[in-house]
């Protein structure tokens, strides 16, 4: 770019572009060759500017929508007076209840009672993390096992009684 002569490649440059260092730099930026990849689908010439305007407009509309959503969410939080502590992120490695709701835990009186309870129930600390739905499934499974064992025991007693009658 020629700044003193006012000409560039046979074209006359407006003297405004030569008045300051910043103006010359801005002019030089306009002369940078296009560096689109060979497989670019962007049009050239006037259509390129129109396409740029469309894509930038779409980008800013999306940004504006995000901005509106964030502001309305914050307004909703303020209006419903949610405690700030509820908005804070949970501590690292926090695992929420699987079903979102847990069963009330009855705390044993001592560590000895807790050990006996865990041994009796066959449970461990992992079971304390089950949600309400998981607890219900577990309860129903144990009820099913109890029902099956009760029927099995009744069938065995009936079989013994019938054997005793045939032996007698």
């Amino acid at each position: 770019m020629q700044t003193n002569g006012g000409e560039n490649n046979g074209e006359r440059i407006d003297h405004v572009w030569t008045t300051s260092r910043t103006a010359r730099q801005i002019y030089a930026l306009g002369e940078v060759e296009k560096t689109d990849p060979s497989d670019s689908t962007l049009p050239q010439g006037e259509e390129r500017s129109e396409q740029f305007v469309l894509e930038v407009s779409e980008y800013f509309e999306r940004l504006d929508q995000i901005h509106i959503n964030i502001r309305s969410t914050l307004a909703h939080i303020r209006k419903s007076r949610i405690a700030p502590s509820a908005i804070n992120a949970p501590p690292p490695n926090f695992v929420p209840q699987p079903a979102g709701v847990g069963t009330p835990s009855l705390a044993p009186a001592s560590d000895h009672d807790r050990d006996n309870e865990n041994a009796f129930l066959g449970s461990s600390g992992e079971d304390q993390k089950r949600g309400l739905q998981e607890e219900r499934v577990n309860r129903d499974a144990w009820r099913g096992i109890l029902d099956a064992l009760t029927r099995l025991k009744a069938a065995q007693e009936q079989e013994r009684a019938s054997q005793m009658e045939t032996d007698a």
Side-chain angles (χ1 to χ4, degrees):
M1 174 173 119
Q2 271 188 334
T3 55
N4 294 338
E7 287 191 21
N8 187 18
N9 297 334
E11 295 178 20
R12 181 108 178 118
I13 301 172
D14 190 346
H15 87 55
V16 171
W17 295 114
T18 62
T19 57
S20 71
R21 180 173 172 252
T22 305
R24 288 189 298 271
Q25 288 175 340
I26 292 172
Y27 184 81
L29 285 174
E31 291 184 336
V32 173
E33 289 185 29
K34 304 291 186 240
T35 57
D36 288 342
S38 58
D39 61 345
S40 175
T41 58
L42 291 174
Q44 297 297 322
E46 251 336 279
E47 292 177 17
R48 182 181 188 88
S49 297
E50 291 172 12
Q51 182 69 27
F52 175 76
V53 168
L54 288 174
E55 289 186 18
V56 169
S57 296
E58 181 182 327
Y59 172 78
F60 280 107
E61 284 175 16
R62 190 172 300 144
L63 251 165
D64 194 39
Q65 198 61 39
I66 292 168
H67 165 257
I68 291 169
N69 289 339
I70 289 172
R71 288 181 62 98
S72 63
T73 301
L74 288 174
H76 174 71
I77 288 171
R78 258 188 247 112
K79 183 178 178 183
S80 59
R81 297 179 183 238
I82 296 174
S85 61
I87 300 171
N88 294 338
N93 301 324
F94 172 75
V95 179
Q97 291 274 340
V101 178
T103 56
S105 60
L106 300 173
S110 69
D111 288 341
H112 178 63
D113 291 343
R114 186 180 299 116
D115 293 340
N116 287 341
E117 182 181 296
N118 286 344
F120 175 70
L121 295 175
S123 63
S124 63
E126 286 298 314
D127 292 338
Q128 300 301 324
K129 292 184 179 181
R130 286 194 301 230
L132 184 59
Q133 188 63 32
E134 287 87 351
E135 288 292 337
R136 287 179 177 164
V137 169
N138 191 35
R139 177 200 63 200
D140 293 344
W142 281 110
R143 283 184 179 167
I145 291 170
L146 177 63
D147 184 44
L149 289 174
T150 305
R151 283 186 279 130
L152 182 61
K153 183 178 178 185
Q156 287 175 345
E157 287 176 356
Q158 188 178 20
E159 188 178 313
R160 280 191 204 135
S162 66
Q163 272 185 351
M164 290 177 89
E165 286 177 6
T166 56
D167 288 344

